[in-house]
Amino acid sequence: HTMTGTATVRGGTFEVTGDTSYAILAGEFAETNIEGEPVYIIHKACNLFSAVGYGGKAVLSEDVVLTEDSYAIDVYANVTIDLNGHNMTLSDSVTVLEGVTLTIEGEGEVSANEDCVFMTEVGAQIVVNGGTFADNIFQDGCNVADNRE
């Protein structure tokens, strides 16, 4: 059976395309767009790690604080983070891996503890379409396209 349109997934496992399956834990990912890339509603910090691994769009539903117990974030797949009026605080660095694009949009603030920065590998890019960022949050030489007006 093939499904088209938008579905809200609240638990279980579903197949997006081919042999690509995403396990959904109850309450962890609140919504997925079956027609395109997944849309993750982020309501706790650990969900952000999953979103940057699978790709798609991550929409913050509350402020996200990555604590000192968190690990550095490696962005493995093209992902858009929609701040959605919320703030994101990093306790470690974010590295966008080769060939991957991280897009940040929406209203909200992105800040970090001392020495935490966004970094890009060769061929990677960060696209900034929204948000307010702490000074010096992008590492020198970081490939950033700032499209904010």
Side-chain angles (χ1 to χ4, degrees):
H1 184 266
T2 300
M3 175 185 264
T4 61
T6 300
T8 299
V9 179
R10 302 223 184 272
T13 301
F14 67 96
E15 189 172 298
V16 177
T17 58
D19 62 356
T20 303
S21 295
Y22 293 89
I24 304 299
L25 304 175
E28 184 171 327
F29 301 138
E31 184 176 337
T32 292
N33 180 341
I34 300 296
E35 289 180 342
E37 294 185 347
V39 175
Y40 306 104
I41 307 302
I42 308 299
H43 60 269
K44 55 186 177 177
C46 66
N47 300 140
L48 191 57
F49 290 104
S50 297
V52 299
Y54 289 126
K57 184 171 186 173
V59 180
L60 302 188
S61 65
E62 62 184 46
D63 291 351
V64 172
V65 177
L66 300 173
T67 65
E68 291 180 11
D69 295 334
S70 300
Y71 299 101
I73 298 175
D74 289 335
V75 181
Y76 292 96
N78 294 335
V79 66
T80 297
I81 297 175
D82 184 344
L83 298 172
N84 192 32
H86 299 286
N87 302 322
M88 184 169 62
T89 305
L90 307 174
S91 66
D92 210 330
S93 295
V94 175
T95 303
V96 182
L97 300 179
E98 182 178 353
V100 173
T101 298
L102 167 65
T103 303
I104 301 173
E105 63 186 25
E107 297 298 317
E109 294 183 17
V110 180
S111 60
N113 295 340
E114 189 175 330
D115 298 327
C116 297
V117 294
F118 284 92
M119 301 177 281
T120 55
E121 289 186 347
V122 173
Q125 181 180 34
I126 299 173
V127 177
V128 178
N129 293 331
T132 304
F133 293 80
D135 291 337
N136 301 320
I137 200 165
F138 297 108
Q139 182 183 46
D140 289 342
C142 189
N143 184 10
V144 178
D146 190 345
N147 298 323
R148 296 173 295 170
E149 294 182 10

